[in-house]
C-alpha cells in the first residue's frame, strides 16, 4: 500500500511539474507576479532559500516515502495558483465553462444542483446559459430548466486589488436575453455568476468552478 501511494504521488508531482512549465504569466493590478514565467515554480525551502518543488519533495521521498504537512500545504498552494492562472487566462480569452453545483435564488434560498446541466459556456462572441434546478428532466429545455444560446456583447473586465477577476456581458438569444456578472476569486478557480434575465424578470446566482472548456463535461438541453 505504501509503495502504491508513493508511486501515485510521484506521478502527480511529475504531472504538476509539466503543468507548471506550460503555464502562462499572470500579474495583479498592482504588478505583483502571481506565477513566474520560468519553467519551474520555486517554493521556500527549510533554509529560507527558494527551491524547486520536485527537489524539496524528492529529498523527503528518499527519507520516508511520504509528504510532510508542510509539503502538502505547498502542494495545495501550487495547485491553487495553477488553477487560478488557467481560469484567469480562459476568462481573458473568452473561452471557458463555469459549472455550478449550487444555485442561489433571489431571496437567499440555496439549492444543490447537477453541475453537468447547470453552467455558463463562453466561446468568443457566443455563449450558452443553462439553469436546470429540477432533477429528472422536464422544463422548456428538457433537462429540468431553461437554456439560452446567444451572441455576447457589452463585455467588460475588471481586476480587483486583491487579484480576483470580474467579467460582465450581455447574451442575446432569439427569445430570451440575459446579463451576466462573473466573479473569479483568487486562490483557485472558484467562481460565481449572477444572471439577470428578461425571462419572468428572474435573477439567480450560480456558484461553482471556472475552467477551460477542455477540462469539463456538460450536457446541453433545448435552447431558446
Amino acid at each position: 500500500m505504501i509503495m502504491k501511494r508513493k508511486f501515485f504521488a510521484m506521478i502527480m508531482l511529475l504531472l504538476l511539474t509539466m503543468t507548471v512549465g506550460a503555464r502562462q504569466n499572470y500579474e495583479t493590478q498592482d504588478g505583483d507576479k502571481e506565477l513566474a514565467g520560468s519553467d519551474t515554480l520555486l517554493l521556500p525551502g527549510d533554509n529560507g532559500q527558494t527551491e524547486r518543488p520536485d527537489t524539496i519533495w524528492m529529498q523527503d521521498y528518499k527519507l520516508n516515502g511520504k509528504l510532510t504537512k508542510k509539503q502538502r500545504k505547498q502542494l495545495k498552494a501550487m495547485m491553487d495558483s495553477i488553477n487560478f492562472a488557467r481560469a484567469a487566462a480562459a476568462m481573458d480569452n473568452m473561452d471557458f465553462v463555469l459549472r455550478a453545483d449550487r444555485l442561489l435564488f433571489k431571496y437567499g434560498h440555496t439549492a444543490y444542483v447537477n453541475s453537468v446541466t447547470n453552467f455558463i459556456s463562453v466561446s468568443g462572441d457566443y455563449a450558452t446559459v443553462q439553469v436546470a434546478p429540477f432533477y429528472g428532466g422536464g422544463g422548456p429545455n428538457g433537462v429540468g430548466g431553461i437554456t439560452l444560446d446567444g451572441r455576447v456583447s457589452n463585455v467588460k473586465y475588471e481586476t480587483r486589488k486583491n487579484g480576483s477577476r470580474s467579467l460582465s456581458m450581455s447574451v442575446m438569444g432569439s427569445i430570451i436575453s440575459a446579463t451576466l456578472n462573473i466573479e473569479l476569486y483568487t486562490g483557485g478557480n472558484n467562481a460565481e455568476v449572477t444572471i439577470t434575465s428578461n425571462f419572468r424578470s428572474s435573477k439567480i446566482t450560480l456558484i461553482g468552478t471556472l475552467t477551460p472548456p477542455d477540462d469539463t463535461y456538460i450536457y446541453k438541453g433545448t435552447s431558446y
Side-chain angles (χ1 to χ4, degrees):
M1 178 65 77
I2 293 176
M3 290 300 296
K4 288 183 178 179
R5 289 200 302 266
K6 181 177 179 180
F7 177 77
F8 177 77
M10 291 287 288
I11 294 298
M12 285 295 296
L13 288 175
L14 177 60
L15 291 174
L16 283 171
T17 303
M18 294 172 63
T19 303
V20 172
R23 71 190 185 283
Q24 298 184 15
N25 289 348
Y26 171 70
E27 293 186 2
T28 66
Q29 190 177 41
D30 298 328
D32 297 325
K33 187 159 292 187
E34 296 288 333
L35 287 175
S38 59
D39 290 338
T40 306
L41 182 66
L42 298 180
L43 296 175
D46 294 332
N47 59 0
Q49 301 296 320
T50 55
E51 300 181 45
R52 290 165 46 120
D54 53 343
T55 301
I56 298 173
W57 295 326
M58 282 297 291
Q59 290 172 353
D60 186 73
Y61 281 130
K62 292 177 182 179
L63 295 176
N64 54 30
K66 64 180 181 180
L67 293 176
T68 65
K69 181 177 180 180
K70 178 181 178 180
Q71 290 164 345
R72 288 195 299 270
K73 185 177 180 180
Q74 291 174 331
L75 177 60
K76 182 181 184 303
M78 184 173 76
M79 292 183 67
D80 288 343
S81 295
I82 293 171
N83 286 335
F84 178 75
R86 297 182 75 244
M91 180 183 282
D92 289 345
N93 294 331
M94 292 291 286
D95 190 22
F96 63 87
V97 173
L98 193 161
R99 288 203 333 175
D101 54 16
R102 283 182 293 162
L103 302 183
L104 181 63
F105 295 96
K106 185 175 182 180
Y107 297 105
H109 176 67
T110 300
Y112 289 89
V113 294
N114 188 343
S115 61
V116 174
T117 54
N118 290 268
F119 62 86
I120 307 295
S121 175
V122 177
S123 179
D125 60 354
Y126 188 82
T128 297
V129 180
Q130 180 165 289
V131 180
F134 304 109
Y135 287 90
N141 63 2
V143 293
I146 191 165
T147 304
L148 161 64
D149 277 336
R151 293 290 176 181
V152 173
S153 62
N154 301 321
V155 178
K156 296 179 181 179
Y157 290 95
E158 185 178 352
T159 301
R160 313 292 189 196
K161 290 184 178 181
N162 65 355
S164 64
R165 300 287 191 93
S166 69
L167 170 64
S168 64
M169 69 181 78
S170 299
V171 181
M172 180 68 69
S174 57
I175 300 175
I176 305 172
S177 63
T179 300
L180 311 183
N181 290 286
I182 302 172
E183 294 285 339
L184 173 65
Y185 301 105
T186 56
N189 59 357
N190 294 323
E192 67 177 53
V193 53
T194 299
I195 306 168
T196 304
S197 172
N198 68 343
F199 180 71
R200 298 179 182 175
S201 300
S202 60
K203 183 176 182 180
I204 193 170
T205 299
L206 279 63
I207 303 171
T209 56
L210 191 152
T211 64
D214 294 340
D215 289 359
T216 191
Y217 170 75
I218 53 178
Y219 183 82
K220 180 181 171 184
T222 303
S223 61
Y224 291 86

